Amino acid sequence: MLPGSKPLLAIAATAALLAQSSDDATWRIRREALDQSSLKRTMHFLTDVHGPRLTGSPRFNGAADWVVTQLKAWGLENAHLEPWEFGHPGWDNERTSVHIVSPVRDALVCEVIAWTPGTKGRTRAQVVQIVPPQNPTEEKLTEFLDNARSKVSGKIALVGASTPLPVSFAPLTKRREDSDVVAMYDPTNPNPPTFFNRGPATPARDPKGPKTVSARDVERRINEFLAVNGAVGRVNDGGRDHGQIRAFNNRTFDIAKAVPSIVLRAEDYGRISRILADGTPVELEMEIENKWYPEGKTAHNVIAEIAGSDKKDEVVMLGGHLDSWHSATGATDNAIGSAVMMEALRILKATGAKPRRTVRLALWSGEEQGLLGSKAYVKEHFGTFENPKPEGRGFVAYFNIDSGTGRARGMSAFGPESAAKVLRGFLAQFADLGVLGARASRSRQAGGSDHSSFAEAGFAGISVGQDPIEYGSHTWHTNLDTYERIVFEDAQKSATVIAATVLHLANREERLPRFAKDEIPAVPKAAAASE
């Protein structure tokens, strides 16, 4: 190919875009997204340079500072870090080395559980396996802990049975069939398919059965039990095939209530468990160096905007969470979502868009610990539908993307059917990019991602649905979530659609419709109790 020339496919695509869109602003957005994408550079810095990005950690702070600098360079206004109180110190793992040293010698693949202590140098100890009862009553859990008390002192505890992982012959779904997407966004479909399945739901407790201890409380009790009774370390089973590991955190954030803890890939955990079952003693050697950062108690969201004109006091927002878990560099969860939203704003600025309403970007921290950054922002700036702050009265909508690298396929908006109709009508022009609808939601239940922080407060949180690619199966929260898993063509399409839709809502004569006071769903009991 000659220097400066473009592939025939790109030329054909550009011509097709021109033919498909009669709206000049939308065509300019399409052209900018296709020809001048900054996504690869942004992703390189968010993952390779500043990943992972655990809330409160120096690496998150480095990423946030880089984003502010980049947004200013693109000409965005009011780019800054906005603090909120996380309440826990920052934490980072700096070194991990775990080996089996007897009866065989081998390096083990693992990830450290966040907000747990490190070892005091290189530690060697025998292994004991303890298997807590499933869904225990208080009596069963107490009996189990009492029986295990004499076994754990000075030992490294494998907690739980090894997970069987039979070979699966079922192919993975990476693209959604158009017919399935249409069904998902069909406003007349009373039971639309689930867009992203995050795994099996926790079985509901039988109200007539015996009262059992929650899984979260079992975890906390075992951590405290091991710390009090002198265990050297804790090892959990990764429980996933092909070396996948998901490592989360010590939920108490208290160093005194946990021992050095890792999640071992299932293949290594199963090997050790089988050797122990033979009656053969096993010794492990662990060296874990973790650091704590008291200044992490104050976390930050990243904010920037394009100021509006005649309707500047009304705000259309877009964003995603910048924080990640620590097992990989957090590429699909959610550096790519942050990069897409940054790119959408860059595109609007580069194409000379002059929104009537202010367009504001927010990249959140604390999402992985419970949507904490976005909840703090909504409370501080907007209040609730029932008790709005001045900014809340002018709030229009918030767009969120947080389901991996797959292209946008549709949108779900908290609001009346008339709001979904506005989105559906505008998005129809992007069918060539795979976008096939919009749907209204009445759920004020927080969970899933940051759009629900807005919905819980009674404001229009809009979730962008995506193709799954490898998200639920391979990359979501795992040690495989790296730059290599990104499909940049899909991300370009998402940025195109989001930039155009945000601009449309910013320039409409009327705001996106809201629920009337007598129509809005009630505040969930848990949210109401926390007010």
Side-chain angles (χ1 to χ4, degrees):
M1 185 167 59
L2 294 174
S5 65
K6 293 183 177 180
L8 291 177
L9 285 177
I11 296 172
T14 302
L17 297 181
L18 181 59
Q20 288 163 1
S21 178
S22 58
D23 180 82
D24 187 55
T26 300
W27 179 80
R28 288 199 302 271
I29 287 171
R30 284 179 176 258
R31 183 64 180 267
E32 178 70 22
L34 181 70
D35 293 346
Q36 303 297 331
S37 175
S38 68
L39 285 165
K40 289 186 177 181
R41 181 176 185 274
T42 298
M43 283 298 296
H44 163 63
F45 279 95
L46 293 184
T47 59
D48 299 334
V49 178
H50 295 296
R53 304 169 304 281
L54 195 67
T55 296
S57 73
R59 284 186 275 191
F60 177 90
N61 296 337
D65 289 341
W66 181 85
V67 170
V68 169
T69 299
Q70 184 60 69
L71 293 172
K72 288 179 178 179
W74 287 342
L76 276 300
E77 302 164 55
N78 196 28
H80 67 281
L81 301 180
E82 184 161 327
W84 60 276
E85 289 309 306
F86 182 39
H88 307 295
W91 178 95
D92 202 5
N93 168 249
E94 297 203 340
R95 175 182 173 83
T96 304
S97 174
V98 180
H99 290 74
I100 181 172
V101 292
S102 177
V104 295
R105 302 185 68 87
D106 207 349
L108 304 179
V109 179
C110 67
E111 297 292 341
V112 177
I113 296 177
W115 286 283
T116 57
T119 60
K120 296 178 181 179
R122 189 174 298 176
T123 300
R124 181 169 175 168
Q126 283 198 333
V127 174
V128 60
Q129 187 167 17
I130 59 174
V131 182
Q134 296 294 309
N135 302 315
T137 62
E138 177 62 36
E139 293 75 15
K140 285 289 186 184
L141 180 59
T142 300
E143 180 184 4
F144 163 75
L145 295 176
D146 285 344
N147 290 336
R149 198 174 307 277
S150 62
K151 302 176 184 178
V152 299
S153 179
K155 305 288 180 60
I156 294 172
L158 265 66
V159 179
S162 175
T163 305
L165 294 171
V167 174
S168 173
F169 295 93
L172 293 175
T173 301
K174 296 190 177 184
R175 295 285 187 201
R176 297 208 180 268
E177 295 292 338
D178 286 356
S179 58
D180 290 342
V181 178
V182 170
M184 290 172 187
Y185 291 111
D186 180 356
T188 66
N189 187 348
N191 297 300
T194 302
F195 211 96
F196 171 56
N197 182 10
R198 293 182 182 265
T202 302
R205 295 187 188 183
D206 181 356
K208 297 180 180 179
K211 185 177 181 181
T212 58
V213 182
S214 70
R216 179 174 291 194
D217 282 343
V218 170
E219 182 76 4
R220 175 184 57 80
R221 294 269 294 277
I222 292 175
N223 276 341
E224 293 177 2
F225 165 81
L226 294 175
V228 168
N229 288 283
V232 172
R234 173 174 178 164
V235 179
N236 291 345
D237 182 9
R240 298 176 65 83
D241 58 11
H242 299 100
Q244 294 179 42
I245 299 173
R246 287 177 175 168
F248 298 114
N249 64 300
N250 164 24
R251 292 183 184 274
T252 69
F253 298 90
D254 186 341
I255 193 172
K257 294 182 178 179
V259 296
S261 302
I262 62 171
V263 180
L264 199 60
R265 70 173 177 178
E267 294 84 352
D268 288 334
Y269 193 97
R271 180 186 187 184
I272 294 171
S273 182
R274 290 188 294 272
I275 294 173
L276 288 172
D278 282 341
T280 305
V282 173
E283 283 188 303
L284 297 186
E285 185 179 85
M286 304 173 68
E287 185 174 10
I288 301 171
E289 184 178 345
N290 298 330
K291 284 198 174 181
W292 297 67
Y293 298 88
E295 63 273 19
K297 291 182 178 181
T298 299
H300 297 84
N301 299 319
V302 182
I303 308 295
E305 60 189 24
I306 301 175
S309 54
D310 61 311
K311 296 179 180 289
K312 64 181 180 180
D313 292 335
E314 298 180 10
V315 179
V316 179
M317 290 187 68
L318 68 163
H321 70 92
L322 184 61
D323 68 307
S324 75
W325 287 112
H326 54 290
S327 295
T329 57
T332 69
D333 189 21
N334 183 39
I336 190 59
S338 296
V340 162
M341 293 315 206
M342 290 173 64
E343 178 73 353
L345 218 58
R346 184 200 68 78
I347 289 168
L348 293 181
K349 194 69 179 177
T351 56
K354 303 294 183 184
R356 300 176 67 187
R357 296 177 177 88
T358 295
V359 174
R360 183 178 300 161
L361 172 73
L363 302 183
W364 313 110
S365 56
E367 192 270 355
E368 297 293 8
Q369 288 72 48
L371 316 179
L372 301 181
S374 57
K375 284 189 174 186
Y377 188 89
V378 171
K379 183 177 182 180
E380 175 69 22
H381 286 265
F382 302 132
T384 65
F385 179 92
E386 290 78 10
N387 295 291
K389 293 191 172 185
E391 278 191 88
R393 295 187 181 95
F395 180 78
V396 177
Y398 166 75
F399 292 81
N400 191 77
I401 191 164
D402 181 23
S403 291
T405 189
R407 59 182 172 163
R409 302 305 306 273
M411 298 182 183
S412 177
F414 176 78
E417 173 56 28
S418 54
K421 187 176 180 180
V422 169
L423 292 171
R424 198 178 302 124
F426 183 76
L427 292 172
Q429 65 186 293
F430 297 107
D432 63 301
L433 300 185
V435 181
L436 297 176
R439 187 179 177 93
S441 167
R442 293 182 58 84
S443 174
R444 290 183 74 168
Q445 188 64 53
S449 194
D450 294 293
H451 61 281
S452 68
S453 297
F454 290 81
E456 181 183 57
F459 300 116
I462 300 174
S463 175
V464 179
Q466 298 167 256
D467 274 337
I469 311 298
E470 300 170 334
Y471 193 54
S473 60
H474 286 80
T475 64
W476 179 48
H477 294 167
T478 79
N479 55 325
L480 306 184
D481 189 10
T482 63
Y483 181 98
E484 286 75 14
R485 304 273 60 82
I486 299 302
V487 181
F488 284 100
E489 181 182 355
D490 278 29
Q492 286 178 325
K493 291 175 180 177
S494 296
T496 300
V497 173
I498 292 167
T501 310
V502 165
L503 184 61
H504 177 63
L505 293 197
N507 283 339
R508 291 181 78 243
E509 189 61 37
E510 301 296 330
R511 291 196 316 193
L512 187 72
R514 292 183 175 188
F515 283 116
K517 288 184 179 180
D518 60 347
E519 295 175 332
I520 190 164
V523 183
K525 291 181 181 179
S530 67
E531 287 296 320

